[in-house]
Amino acid sequence: MAMGLAWATAALGVFFIVLAFDTIGLFRKKNQFPVDGRTVVITGGSQGMGRGLGKLLAQKGANVVIVARDREKLKAAMEYISKSAQHPETQRFHSISADVTKPEENVRILQEVTTWNNGQAPDIVWANAGVSAPGLFVDTSIETLRAQMDINYWAAAYLAKATLKCWLHPSSSSDKPFTAKNSSLLPRHFVMTSSTAAFCGIAGYSPYSPAKAALRSLSDSLRSELNIYHGARLHSSSSGPPADIRIHTVFPGTILTPGHEAENKTKHPVTKILEESDPAQTEDQVAAAAIDGLERGYYLITTQLLGAAMRASALQGSPRNNWLVDTLFSWVTSVAWLFVGPDLESKVFQYGKEHGVYKS
């Protein structure tokens, strides 16, 4: 018994040492996500995480295009982002008003950006549009359930299809990926914003979390399918894309935005109980963590430690960011879930016992 406890303690100590080394960048490779001089498209870019991403990417030298429905919010966000330009004389900024829940609008976005970008398709596209409408499943209207899937899954899926068709089957032979200083073609990146709600079922998020979980599955499938095209570059027909295309998905937790404040006004009390200890981040903190993960070359990216633990416990067949850290983390979290899972379910049960379904 004592020997087993000693081994468990030693293993846990090794895990935290490795995690600390990974956090400070000991395993860090060269920047896998250079953006200086490249064109980046961000949907949902007028507020929240999207605005934070636009600001940080502008600081790193990117040409930024933001997409949203509200023209006034777009204008304000564009002014805010452009002030952060690293190269004010040469960097370019553009905004597009579009409804990304419509497939044809996503095609238009790619066409408009390509025209604006002198005939070159964007180098990086980030499907960031999304909104949460929390509530109990049986109380949520069919219209809301469909709308949640439209904005949180289909909007990203439509943009992925339009983007990948643009990159894999360009309409112009002059379209080429961005070239680095050493004349090598840099990979293009398609990024989706999901949520830590994709990793764990929480009472009150049933209209929202299934769509975010679907993004993770889409991400795995697209990453697998793109290997066909990358391999085709070695085929005699040379039918593959000129440079690699990389897929990534980001899983933020609670973000302190006006949207989050609006959610809390209608959120069921039991949902608030379950997430009361969750860490919250500002839009700038989330953007910085997301881009740091991309620069490290990560595939599934979380923005804080709790999210990282949830990701490690739900990896299944997804590629690992770091095989050692992720393996150790998954061992630790598999034990933690023996206690966390029942505790979450107990809190929901206890709420119903004390208050009924609806608190009077």
Side-chain angles (χ1 to χ4, degrees), residues 129-132 144-157 192-195 197-198 205-219 249 251:
V131 64
S132 173
T144 297
L145 292 175
R146 288 186 180 277
Q148 283 287 276
M149 191 61 74
D150 283 344
I151 189 60
N152 293 310
Y153 173 74
W154 282 114
M192 294 182 281
T193 298
S194 179
S195 165
Y205 278 125
S206 49
Y208 171 74
S209 57
K212 291 301 188 179
L215 284 184
R216 185 263 179 88
S217 182
L218 176 65
S219 181
T249 304
F251 300 84

Side-chain angles (χ1 to χ4, degrees), residues 83-101:
K83 290 178 182 177
S84 301
Q86 183 184 30
H87 315 294
E89 315 81 22
T90 57
Q91 273 176 267
R92 303 169 66 222
F93 300 91
H94 185 55
S95 63
I96 299 174
S97 175
D99 180 357
V100 292
T101 64

Side-chain angles (χ1 to χ4, degrees), residues 97-320:
S97 175
D99 180 357
V100 292
T101 64
K102 297 179 180 179
E104 64 274 14
E105 287 282 81
N106 289 276
V107 174
R108 179 176 68 84
I109 291 167
L110 268 293
Q111 292 173 340
E112 184 171 330
V113 172
T114 300
T115 300
W116 174 82
N117 200 36
N118 302 313
Q120 298 294 312
D123 305 288
I124 299 161
V125 177
W126 199 312
N128 178 68
V131 64
S132 173
L136 299 183
F137 186 75
V138 295
D139 294 340
T140 305
S141 69
I142 296 298
E143 291 75 19
T144 297
L145 292 175
R146 288 186 180 277
Q148 283 287 276
M149 191 61 74
D150 283 344
I151 189 60
N152 293 310
Y153 173 74
W154 282 114
Y158 294 149
L159 186 61
K161 189 172 183 65
T163 302
L164 294 179
K165 287 187 71 174
C166 181
W167 287 345
L168 294 169
H169 308 295
S171 57
S172 171
S173 59
S174 64
D175 176 65
K176 293 181 180 179
F178 192 87
T179 305
K181 291 181 180 179
N182 63 2
S183 298
S184 63
L185 295 177
L186 294 176
R188 283 168 161 165
H189 300 262
F190 185 80
V191 189
M192 294 182 281
T193 298
S194 179
S195 165
T196 52
F199 297 134
C200 176
I202 296 293
Y205 278 125
S206 49
Y208 171 74
S209 57
K212 291 301 188 179
L215 284 184
R216 185 263 179 88
S217 182
L218 176 65
S219 181
D220 283 353
S221 298
L222 291 179
R223 180 184 169 110
S224 177
E225 286 185 15
L226 283 170
N227 285 313
I228 301 174
Y229 299 94
H230 296 158
R233 283 208 302 272
L234 303 177
H235 191 267
S236 57
S237 65
S238 298
S239 57
D244 281 356
I245 297 171
R246 296 181 181 172
I247 304 293
H248 313 267
T249 304
V250 179
F251 300 84
T254 299
I255 308 176
L256 300 172
T257 63
H260 176 65
E261 293 177 6
E263 280 180 38
N264 282 336
K265 292 177 181 178
T266 60
K267 192 175 290 180
H268 194 283
V270 75
T271 310
K272 295 179 181 179
I273 292 171
L274 295 177
E275 62 181 12
E276 62 185 354
S277 61
D278 291 358
Q281 295 175 294
T282 66
E283 61 184 55
D284 290 338
Q285 290 173 324
V286 171
I291 292 174
D292 179 68
L294 291 165
E295 290 177 343
R296 291 170 182 253
Y298 289 173
Y299 165 54
L300 301 181
I301 299 163
T302 52
T303 63
Q304 29 91 337
L305 185 60
L306 177 61
M310 296 170 74
R311 179 190 63 82
S313 69
L315 277 173
Q316 298 174 314
S318 296
R320 272 58 177 162

Side-chain angles (χ1 to χ4, degrees), residues 17-54:
I17 291 172
V18 172
L19 180 62
F21 284 164
D22 183 58
T23 301
I24 64 176
L26 187 67
F27 305 125
R28 195 184 190 102
K29 298 177 285 188
K30 68 175 184 178
N31 185 0
Q32 302 294 303
F33 190 70
V35 300
D36 193 3
R38 308 182 80 188
T39 298
V40 184
V41 179
I42 308 168
T43 62
S46 66
Q47 57 187 344
M49 178 178 170
R51 190 178 72 159
L53 290 169

